[in-house]
Amino acid sequence: MKRVMIKINVSVLLLVLASCSTNYRMTTCVYKDGRISREVYAKADSAFLAGNRSGNPFLFQLGDRWMVENLDSCVKVDFFGEEGELNVKAERTWKAEGTFSFFSANEKWMKPLAEPQEKLEKHFRWFYTYYTYTCDFREIEDKGPIPMDKYLDKPEQALLFQGDMSGYQGMNGVELKSVLEDAEEKFMKWLYHTQFELSYEVVEYFLQRGGEAAYVAKLKTEKEEIFLGDKNRKEENECSPEYVCTLLDKRYDTLVFTDLYKANQKEMQKRYDEKCVTMELFDNQIKFELAMPGELLPANTLLKEGDRLVWKVDAYRLLGGSYVLEAESRAMNTWAFCVTGLLIVLAGYGIIRKR
């Protein structure tokens, strides 16, 4: 998946990810008394369905508080235009007001998608009780050694990854298309530079381990020059350890680096993959559904299915900053209307009697 991701441009990449992602459906229901129920649906293998919990299909740990249920058959769900099949459900109810978290990530690199910070506020206003819910999926911090700000400014990141147009008000379609194309090109440059740095670090490590002191010194002092001299960086979207070895052989007119790669190919690729493990987050997408008590008030999504608000959550939305889901509702306090009506009647009756 990582290799496919690096070889194609962003617009094509989004389509590819939509069709080959691991899909999760997450439904959340907020009740009037402050309880929150959460159901998470996933696609599990036959071993998990048979009771072997070692192959956990969820991004989070399944503790004793989670009730896991195998579905009778695969449920087909529309994931934003692509159909996905789900066959297992994890369910939990939480009495929560204030800040809380339902999940504990299976692995540290999963945290941005697996451990959102949630908050429920309940405000009593006599005739109505107001409920405000937020779910904060934190920004991916481990994006590699090259800061994204070096290539894209914050408004460009917000537009490209979250569709936030606040920095581009007043632009027409033609102008926005130009901005997006420019931002996409900058993103691919950042991605290539990040790969170059990671691959370069891997080659340096194995070179030092092999005792090639002369070349180790050159690589440290000439790295920037080598990167700027890489003519393919404007044409290629992949920069693997193997490619860096080829690049260095050409620069120094030697076969030292190609031989180094051949001798350590599996180890070098494994070390590179470990450095790029965060990229695996891009294999996942969440269909987040939320039901609130009473009448729905403004939310930061336009998607709805029945009485539920819907958001799409994936790693792309977490590249430039946190992705916060926000919704508000109000529930009528029927008893308050009854008491108020009774008081009005009694007051009226008292006035009539007095007269």
Side-chain angles (χ1 to χ4, degrees), residues 144-208:
I146 304 300
M148 189 174 287
D149 293 351
K150 184 173 181 178
Y151 285 87
L152 294 105
D153 60 33
K154 290 299 182 184
E156 288 174 322
Q157 294 177 37
L159 176 66
L160 187 62
F161 303 129
Q162 296 185 2
D164 183 353
M165 295 178 56
S166 57
Y168 300 92
Q169 295 296 326
M171 284 191 172
N172 61 27
V174 176
E175 293 164 338
L176 279 173
K177 180 175 181 293
S178 177
V179 170
L180 281 169
E181 288 176 347
D182 186 49
E184 179 183 332
E185 183 179 349
K186 290 177 181 179
F187 172 74
M188 297 309 293
K189 287 179 179 179
W190 167 81
L191 186 60
Y192 186 89
H193 196 171
T194 298
Q195 294 174 75
F196 175 86
E197 287 286 334
L198 295 175
S199 295
Y200 203 89
E201 288 175 10
V202 171
V203 174
E204 280 187 303
Y205 172 81
F206 282 91
L207 199 65
Q208 287 177 334

Side-chain angles (χ1 to χ4, degrees), residues 263-330:
N264 303 279
Q265 181 175 351
K266 288 185 178 180
E267 284 186 86
M268 290 178 81
Q269 190 59 49
K270 180 181 178 182
R271 190 173 179 85
Y272 177 75
D273 289 344
E274 288 172 353
K275 288 177 175 289
C276 298
V277 68
T278 306
M279 300 289 273
E280 293 188 24
L281 277 176
F282 292 84
D283 291 341
N284 305 279
Q285 69 169 340
I286 300 169
K287 183 177 184 180
F288 192 103
E289 302 174 19
L290 174 66
M292 298 282 285
E295 176 191 0
L296 283 173
L297 298 176
N300 64 346
T301 181
L302 298 177
L303 300 177
K304 284 186 69 177
E305 290 186 3
D307 62 346
R308 294 185 175 185
L309 298 165
V310 178
W311 289 265
K312 180 178 181 179
V313 182
D314 57 25
Y316 265 102
R317 286 164 169 78
L318 311 182
L319 275 175
S322 295
Y323 186 51
V324 183
L325 318 184
E326 298 175 321
E328 187 177 1
S329 72
R330 67 176 186 180

Side-chain angles (χ1 to χ4, degrees), residues 32-97:
K32 289 183 177 181
D33 61 3
R35 287 181 302 119
I36 297 179
S37 67
R38 165 79 38 86
E39 295 178 349
V40 186
Y41 297 80
K43 179 72 178 291
D45 59 24
S46 57
F48 185 89
L49 295 176
N52 183 356
R53 295 297 190 247
S54 60
N56 183 1
F58 299 97
L59 293 171
F60 57 91
Q61 297 175 19
L62 293 171
D64 296 336
R65 295 181 180 180
W66 286 96
M67 293 179 58
V68 181
E69 176 186 347
N70 297 344
L71 305 181
D72 294 334
S73 60
C74 280
V75 176
K76 295 183 178 180
V77 178
D78 177 19
F79 284 92
F80 311 98
E82 296 290 333
E83 190 176 82
E85 293 185 343
L86 308 171
N87 60 7
V88 66
K89 175 180 74 172
E91 182 178 4
R92 181 179 178 185
T93 300
W94 186 293
K95 176 68 175 177
E97 283 189 46

Side-chain angles (χ1 to χ4, degrees), residues 248-266:
L248 295 171
D249 274 345
K250 288 181 181 179
R251 178 177 177 85
Y252 297 116
D253 192 21
T254 181
L255 293 176
V256 167
F257 298 96
T258 299
D259 291 341
L260 179 73
Y261 182 78
K262 289 179 180 178
N264 303 279
Q265 181 175 351
K266 288 185 178 180

Side-chain angles (χ1 to χ4, degrees), residues 22 69 158 188 211 230 243 247 266 287 335:
T22 300
E69 176 186 347
M188 297 309 293
D230 178 13
Y243 174 75
L247 186 69
K266 288 185 178 180
K287 183 177 184 180
W335 61 266

